[in-house]
């Protein structure tokens, strides 16, 4: 038997991500976040939103480009 899909509307998905719906639509339009259109409404799978959150995780040691001057003062 197929798993039951948990759907989020755009407001719910944006709130879960902590972004505006405008930014959510931008992610959808760029193909970064899958969405489905049912008539006039868009829905997102909760699993897809959760996977997007995991994909956006910042790995330790990848932000040194944001503070290049402090690297030389740590010695």
């Amino acid at each position: 038997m197929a798993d039951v899909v948990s759907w989020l509307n755009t407001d719910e998905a944006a709130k879960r991500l902590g972004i505006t719906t405008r930014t959510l639509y931008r992610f959808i339009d760029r193909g970064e976040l899958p969405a489905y259109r049912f008539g006039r409404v868009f829905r997102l799978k909760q699993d897809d939103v959760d996977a997007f959150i995991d994909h956006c995780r910042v790995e330790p040691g990848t932000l040194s480009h944001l503070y290049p001057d402090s690297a030389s003062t740590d010695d």
Side-chain angles (χ1 to χ4, degrees):
M1 192 160 139
D3 291 334
V4 176
V5 175
S6 295
W7 294 101
L8 301 173
N9 64 36
T10 54
D11 288 336
E12 293 167 333
K15 188 177 219 179
R16 186 170 182 85
L17 292 167
I19 59 175
T20 65
T21 52
R22 183 176 178 169
T23 300
L24 178 73
Y25 284 122
R26 191 176 306 125
F27 287 144
I28 293 168
D29 192 43
R30 290 181 186 164
E32 298 176 40
L33 186 57
Y36 303 83
R37 186 169 155 182
F38 301 106
R40 293 174 47 171
V41 299
F42 288 88
R43 296 287 185 254
L44 295 90
K45 291 181 182 179
Q46 184 172 333
D47 289 345
D48 289 340
V49 173
D50 292 340
F52 179 77
I53 291 169
D54 289 340
H55 176 74
C56 291
R57 182 173 183 261
V58 176
E59 294 296 325
T62 60
L63 300 178
S64 60
H65 67 284
L66 297 176
Y67 51 94
D69 295 336
S70 67
S72 61
T73 60
D74 289 341
D75 294 332

